[in-house]
Amino acid sequence: MKQLSLLLLMMVAVWRCSSSINTTELGPEERLNYAVSLYEEEDYEDALNEFQSLLLQYPGSIIVDDTQYYLGMTRYQRDEYIVAAYEFSKLIRNMPASEFVPKAQYMLAESYYQLSPNFNLDQQYTIKAVAELQAFIDYFPLNEKVVEAENQINELNVKLAKKEYQTAIIYEKLEYYNASIKYLNNVIETYHDTPYAVMASYRKILLLMEREREDEAFAEMKKFLLLYPDDVNYEEVEEMKNSLDAQLKGNFSVN
């Protein structure tokens, strides 16, 4: 087996030194090795053609999953992230027993990660990236890429939280207060482990107080003081809560 592998590598080296190669005379494994050598030398255009030809000519061969994975990787290296995502998902869907599935799942998520735009644009690819990264973690919890995937999820969640928070601020400026509170609530509940959660909670308190919704503001103040004891606005919120508490008790005693 080692001698065969060495022979294939030597053949690839000879092929790469030749001015032209007649790949029609090669077997499927030999052509795969040749295509991979093109990929590794960053000759992505020729590699792409070879991988596509292999899939068409040897649809039932043992090299199909290798070829499908490298086809996705070639698309990825060419910055064709949408097509790369399709190729990786095709491998996952059609060849679930392949050894390449963990790599393909991560690269599927990575393709969407690369498509994730600035926070002020539509975030559909960011949401897809988070979903696929989480699927990777759930299905392959012992994989060496899990820590990196978790870091990427945290990064993308910050972006999504910022998008929601800025939308809330815009609605507040437009005086659509209920819509603003809705988006603030989404930040607090969905992205509670991002810096924008504390900002949203504080903003919600101020907005509720401005709208004279003291009972709701008081409840949010208690949550804020419990969850964010180290925040720079802690003392201000504490003073507001104590003042509102005294006011509410005073109103209750008069009644």
Side-chain angles (χ1 to χ4, degrees), residues 4-146:
L4 177 60
S5 298
L6 181 60
L7 177 62
L8 288 173
L9 290 173
M10 292 175 63
M11 291 174 68
V12 167
V14 172
W15 292 332
R16 297 300 294 143
C17 294
S18 304
S19 58
S20 62
I21 300 168
N22 185 5
T23 56
T24 59
E25 298 179 356
L26 305 179
E29 292 188 18
E30 294 171 333
R31 283 194 65 181
L32 174 62
N33 278 280
Y34 171 63
V36 171
S37 74
L38 291 173
Y39 171 83
E40 291 177 344
E41 293 184 10
E42 301 183 8
D43 186 354
Y44 298 127
E45 184 173 357
D46 287 345
L48 179 64
N49 293 332
E50 285 297 323
F51 290 129
Q52 289 175 324
S53 296
L54 282 166
L55 288 177
L56 288 173
Q57 294 182 32
Y58 305 104
S61 173
I62 60 172
I63 67 164
V64 169
D65 57 341
D66 305 61
T67 305
Q68 185 66 48
Y69 174 74
Y70 275 104
L71 177 57
M73 288 300 300
T74 304
R75 293 291 193 183
Y76 181 87
Q77 296 295 348
R78 286 162 58 95
D79 298 338
E80 299 171 356
Y81 300 121
I82 294 177
V83 186
Y86 168 77
E87 299 295 357
F88 291 125
S89 64
K90 188 176 179 181
L91 189 155
I92 296 166
R93 181 176 63 254
N94 296 339
M95 292 163 264
S98 170
E99 64 178 333
F100 287 97
V101 168
K103 293 181 179 180
Q105 178 61 51
Y106 181 77
M107 290 307 302
L108 170 61
E110 182 68 21
S111 298
Y112 286 132
Y113 176 84
Q114 294 296 334
L115 289 165
S116 176
N118 189 277
F119 81 93
N120 59 336
L121 300 176
D122 184 83
Q123 295 298 308
Q124 62 169 321
Y125 289 122
T126 306
I127 294 171
K128 287 183 178 181
V130 170
E132 296 300 344
L133 285 166
Q134 189 59 57
F136 172 76
I137 293 170
D138 291 342
Y139 284 109
F140 312 107
L142 301 180
N143 192 281
E144 61 183 8
K145 288 283 190 178
V146 164

Side-chain angles (χ1 to χ4, degrees), residues 4 15 24 53 76 79 83-84 93 115 120 137 146 149 154 177 183-185 191-193 206 210 212 229 238 247:
L4 177 60
W15 292 332
T24 59
S53 296
Y76 181 87
D79 298 338
V83 186
R93 181 176 63 254
L115 289 165
N120 59 336
I137 293 170
V146 164
N154 292 335
Y177 301 113
Y183 277 91
L184 291 173
N185 283 335
Y191 306 108
H192 53 84
D193 54 351
L206 298 181
E210 290 174 5
E212 298 182 352
E238 186 176 39
Q247 179 183 330

Side-chain angles (χ1 to χ4, degrees), residues 14 33 43 102 119 126 129 133 149 166 181 190 202 204 227 234:
V14 172
N33 278 280
D43 186 354
F119 81 93
T126 306
L133 285 166
Q166 292 297 331
I181 290 174
T190 306
Y202 177 71
K204 180 182 176 182
L227 295 173
Y234 182 88

Side-chain angles (χ1 to χ4, degrees), residues 236-248:
E236 180 186 350
V237 173
E238 186 176 39
E239 289 177 6
M240 284 193 292
K241 174 184 171 295
N242 292 338
S243 176
L244 187 56
D245 190 23
Q247 179 183 330
L248 294 173

